[in-house]
Amino acid sequence: MSRHWVIRRTHLVPAFALTLILGLASCTGSPSSPGTAATPQASATQAPTQTPELLQKLDVGLQLPWSVAFLPDGTAVVSERDSAQIKSIRDGKATTVGEVPGVVPGGEGGLLGLALSPTFASDRWLYAYFTSAGDNRVARMRLDADADGKLALGQPEVIFSGISKASTHNGGRIRFGPDGFLYVGTGDSQRREQPQDINALGGKILRLTPEGQPAAGNPFGDNPVYSYGHRNVQGLAWDAEGRLWASEFGPDVDDELNLITPGGNYGWPTVTGAPGRSGLIDAKVVWPSTSDASPSGLEILEGVAYTGALRGQRLWAVPLNGEAAGSPVAYLTGQYGRLRDVARTPDGTLWILSNNRNPDFVLILGVAD
């Protein structure tokens, strides 16, 4: 039963490395970007040593794909935002698995994030975050296969609802963590009072059981909120030590890569970026110009965080060293348009989904030292 809560084979040469500044930037004065922000100081972390290698481009006729997850046998399942369809991709061919009922696309809303149950081999649950007529919600559906491997989508069971919706800032990324709980990135849905209210669901990262209840050990008791003060969370990924990182859209300035702390306040809408304000957690990486980034899907591979950029139309690679993040390096700049999701396959390659409507495609990258 739903629990309804009311209370963002060619070696690739780096296009450029983002220059890191040391001083605080001044307040923009814009109502949409309060506070001040600074790009974090350079740490001992150096540029990535791995070089992404373009292995293949799959022109499989996708339409605004938003998220990709991989079955144990390597089959990809992809959500399409506006069509509300789930597609499977295997052996270079895309097949429609089914359409998720109850999805009401519009603006940035629609069928968004996908995640597989950690015990998918036995329970066959596929989780989806989507925009309905009245809210954003999370449902799960059986993804069964017949003797020939053909996939079929079962009826959705809504496990969590009541996340506010709008034409923009719907969040939508979901992912199971190493602890077996489901993490859900939400947006402020243009309701600027929500991110600082721990009894509201907008502008948060939520942590749920597979059944949609607040996970044990959450920082605010019987409350799904794990971190707050977010504007529009778009990517979630864990490093090798189990630390959670998140990519996030800024307003007209200051896109962010954040290291997530349970109960942490990331400042929106009071501040953006890394102003060093007491009681608020600074971003580990700030892209001062959103035209360079608008970071979406996030994956961490061999100590490097990879995030696709929408407005920036490139792949950013950020070397990580413990809790520190180094200088971002750009690849694929302007070559393939808007890049929505980045995900690791079972064989260790990276899949990148484009988001260009013409139609869309998949880039497959290998990462080599």
Side-chain angles (χ1 to χ4, degrees):
M1 179 179 295
S2 164
R3 184 167 186 173
H4 188 97
W5 288 80
V6 294
I7 41 179
R8 195 157 3 122
R9 281 217 178 230
T10 302
H11 285 290
L12 307 176
V13 178
F16 61 92
L18 186 68
T19 302
L20 299 180
I21 57 175
L22 301 178
L24 290 177
S26 62
C27 176
T28 66
S30 166
S32 63
S33 57
T36 59
T39 304
Q41 296 184 17
S43 70
T45 303
Q46 302 301 312
T49 58
Q50 302 95 334
T51 300
E53 181 183 3
L54 182 59
L55 304 178
Q56 192 174 4
K57 178 174 178 279
L58 298 180
D59 291 302
V60 289
L62 299 173
Q63 299 292 330
L64 289 177
W66 211 92
S67 180
V68 59
F70 296 94
L71 306 188
D73 67 1
T75 299
V77 288
V78 177
S79 62
E80 290 186 339
R81 190 189 70 189
D82 288 0
S83 75
Q85 291 183 348
I86 301 289
K87 300 284 182 71
S88 67
I89 302 175
R90 186 169 179 82
D91 299 327
K93 297 180 180 179
T95 303
T96 299
V97 177
E99 182 175 326
V100 179
V103 176
V104 180
E108 296 176 359
L111 179 58
L112 304 177
L114 298 179
L116 289 182
S117 164
T119 52
F120 178 82
S122 59
D123 62 35
R124 305 295 296 189
W125 285 122
L126 172 67
Y127 289 73
Y129 182 113
F130 66 87
T131 310
S132 73
D135 62 5
N136 286 297
R137 50 184 52 193
V138 179
R140 62 182 182 178
M141 302 151 278
R142 302 282 184 184
L143 189 62
D144 290 317
D146 64 17
D148 296 325
K150 183 179 179 181
L151 297 173
L153 193 64
Q155 288 298 308
E157 171 194 344
V158 176
I159 65 162
F160 194 87
S161 59
I163 304 168
S164 57
K165 61 173 280 188
S167 60
T168 60
H169 307 186
N170 287 293
R173 194 66 60 188
I174 60 175
R175 198 160 186 181
F176 277 94
D179 55 11
F181 293 123
L182 182 64
Y183 290 73
V184 179
T186 75
D188 69 5
S189 63
Q190 303 176 21
R191 295 166 173 84
R192 291 164 64 94
E193 75 282 359
Q194 286 203 12
Q196 291 297 317
D197 180 358
I198 63 169
N199 293 312
L201 299 175
K204 306 295 193 300
I205 294 175
L206 312 177
R207 181 172 174 260
L208 309 174
T209 68
E211 296 73 33
Q213 302 301 313
N218 278 2
F220 304 109
D222 187 27
N223 184 316
V225 173
Y226 189 71
S227 63
Y228 66 109
H230 299 287
R231 182 174 181 270
N232 196 10
V233 177
Q234 293 289 293
L236 300 169
W238 285 262
D239 63 25
E241 300 302 318
R243 290 176 286 254
L244 174 59
W245 297 76
S247 56
E248 181 168 345
F249 289 165
D252 52 351
V253 294
D254 298 341
D255 290 327
E256 299 176 355
L257 178 65
N258 286 299
L259 176 60
I260 302 302
T261 299
N265 182 354
Y266 289 80
W268 180 256
T270 306
V271 300
T272 63
R277 188 76 62 87
S278 177
L280 305 178
I281 298 176
D282 283 350
K284 294 296 183 178
V285 174
V286 180
W287 289 271
S289 172
T290 57
S291 64
D292 291 335
S294 298
S296 189
L298 179 68
E299 187 62 279
I300 298 174
L301 181 62
E302 302 297 331
V304 178
Y306 295 93
T307 183
L310 293 167
R311 286 190 65 197
Q313 299 188 15
R314 67 200 74 181
L315 175 70
W316 283 108
V318 181
L320 305 178
N321 182 8
E323 297 184 356
S327 301
V329 177
Y331 299 90
L332 304 174
T333 303
Q335 297 180 48
Y336 297 102
R338 294 161 57 86
L339 305 180
R340 169 64 72 179
D341 197 15
V342 182
R344 181 180 182 173
T345 69
D347 66 8
T349 59
L350 289 175
W351 272 37
I352 301 175
L353 301 180
S354 75
N355 233 199
N356 298 303
R357 300 175 184 253
N358 58 349
D360 285 299
F361 47 84
V362 177
L363 302 175
I364 303 178
L365 274 63
V367 178
D369 290 335

